[in-house]
């Protein structure tokens, strides 16, 4: 397990699902966690669960697609926690539809949350991370982890906006790693495959089987599978890993 004691993590889209699992895993590793979602009260249950583990936790409401709100959120986190060592850009939405029928609004909404939101939070935490130093003055930098998707690598019919946003996240990850590496700030992405969720639970059995047949491990992943990958990237065991896309997809693609 990664040792993240004394670290501060900021996780977006963390009120439920994969984001909540990531926040919980980071807290289990000892990190204090700032939890962000569209409304602060959505974070209350996860915040209470993390505090029960003995770490500091607080929820924040923010629209990740609005620059001023993102800057204000990061400023508030810095005021409350003093630093940000780990940034997890997890917030994301879907508005699926065939390309020829997709509205401008559905395209813009998904790109704004999934890609622009990742850019805005990355930009907002970069300078504070540059200022992170050990007691002896050694630069500590930080770790930025973006949640991409297997479909951002291989594409998927009916998800032109989502696949474009996640492909953009992958490209942004690689560029961020190159720009911030000299400041000891690492940037990587985790690309989940099909993950067990309320959405997959209600799929017809024949559809579930069709999806399963594309996965060599013959099962859907779990939110914990993604959280474990994030925790590893956040810790010192991955200190020489940057600009990488870690695919957690049961072998669907390499």
């Amino acid at each position: 397990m990664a040792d993240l004691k004394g670290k501060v993590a900021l996780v977006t889209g963390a009120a439920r699902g994969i984001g909540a699992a990531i926040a919980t895993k980071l807290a289990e590793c000892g990190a204090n966690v700032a939890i962000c979602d569209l409304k602060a009260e959505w974070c209350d249950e996860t915040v209470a669960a993390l505090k029960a583990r003995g770490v500091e936790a607080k929820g924040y409401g923010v629209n990740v697609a609005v620059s001023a709100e993102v800057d204000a959120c990061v400023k508030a986190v810095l005021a409350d926690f003093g630093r940000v060592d780990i940034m997890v850009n997890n917030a994301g939405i879907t508005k699926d539809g065939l390309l020829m029928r997709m509205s401008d609004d559905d395209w813009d909404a998904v790109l704004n949350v999934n890609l622009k939101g990742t850019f805005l939070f990355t930009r907002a935490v970069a300078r504070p991370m540059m200022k992170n130093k050990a007691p002896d003055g050694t630069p500590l930098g930080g770790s930025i982890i973006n949640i991409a998707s297997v479909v951002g690598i291989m594409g998927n019919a009916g998800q032109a906006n989502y696949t474009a946003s996640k492909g953009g996240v992958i490209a942004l990850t690689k560029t961020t790693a190159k720009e911030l590496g000299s400041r000891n700030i690492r940037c990587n992405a985790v690309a989940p495959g099909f993950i067990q969720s309320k959405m997959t639970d209600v799929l017809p059995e024949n559809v579930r089987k069709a999806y399963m047949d594309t996965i060599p491990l013959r099962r859907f992943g779990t939110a914990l599978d993604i959280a474990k990958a994030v925790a590893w990237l956040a810790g010192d065991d991955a200190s020489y890993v940057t600009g990488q896309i870690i695919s957690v997809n049961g072998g669907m693609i390499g």
Side-chain angles (χ1 to χ4, degrees):
M1 185 184 298
D3 181 3
L4 302 177
K5 291 177 183 174
K7 302 286 188 182
V8 175
L10 196 170
V11 186
T12 66
R16 59 182 67 84
I18 290 175
I22 291 169
T24 301
K25 187 63 179 179
L26 295 177
E28 184 182 321
C29 295
N32 299 315
V33 187
I35 297 171
C36 298
D37 218 302
L38 191 59
K39 296 184 182 297
E41 57 266 29
W42 292 358
C43 304
D44 290 348
E45 185 176 343
T46 305
V47 167
L50 300 197
K51 286 184 174 179
R53 292 180 175 273
V55 303
E56 295 180 38
K58 186 173 180 179
Y60 302 83
V62 59
N63 183 338
V64 301
V66 178
S67 181
E69 290 194 28
V70 171
D71 290 343
C73 178
V74 171
K75 185 177 180 179
V77 171
L78 292 171
D80 292 335
F81 290 87
R83 60 193 296 124
V84 174
D85 302 286
I86 302 158
M87 175 74 234
V88 184
N89 286 300
N90 168 74
I93 63 171
T94 59
K95 288 183 179 291
D96 296 348
L98 293 176
L99 186 149
M100 289 192 298
R101 298 176 182 172
M102 186 170 290
S103 68
D104 289 3
D105 287 346
D106 284 353
W107 173 272
D108 290 344
V110 172
L111 269 291
N112 282 341
V113 172
N114 299 4
L115 181 54
K116 185 180 178 182
T118 298
F119 158 69
L120 291 176
F121 263 100
T122 297
R123 184 178 67 180
V125 301
R127 198 174 299 277
M129 280 186 173
M130 291 178 187
K131 297 178 181 178
N132 289 343
K133 290 183 171 56
D136 64 359
T138 303
L140 294 176
S143 177
I144 299 170
I145 303 153
N146 300 324
I147 304 304
S149 172
V150 64
V151 300
I153 301 170
M154 68 181 195
N156 197 35
Q159 289 192 308
N161 48 6
Y162 187 76
T163 57
S165 71
K166 293 303 185 177
V169 166
I170 288 170
L172 177 62
T173 297
K174 293 177 179 291
T175 295
T176 302
K178 291 181 182 296
E179 289 194 11
L180 301 182
S182 63
R183 302 303 186 99
N184 202 31
I185 298 173
R186 298 181 294 111
C187 185
N188 296 284
V190 175
F194 290 116
I195 302 301
Q196 189 87 35
S197 66
K198 290 180 180 179
M199 183 178 70
T200 58
D201 287 344
V202 300
L203 290 173
E205 187 57 35
N206 64 318
V207 176
R208 287 172 58 86
K209 185 180 184 304
Y211 283 149
M212 210 81 74
D213 287 344
T214 68
I215 305 170
L217 288 184
R218 292 298 186 268
R219 68 173 179 88
F220 292 137
T222 67
L224 182 58
D225 290 324
I226 307 307
K228 287 177 179 178
V230 170
W232 178 72
L233 287 170
D236 289 341
D237 285 349
S239 62
Y240 199 53
V241 179
T242 193
Q244 303 305 304
I245 314 305
I246 308 300
S247 293
V248 183
N249 59 42
M252 284 178 64
I253 62 169

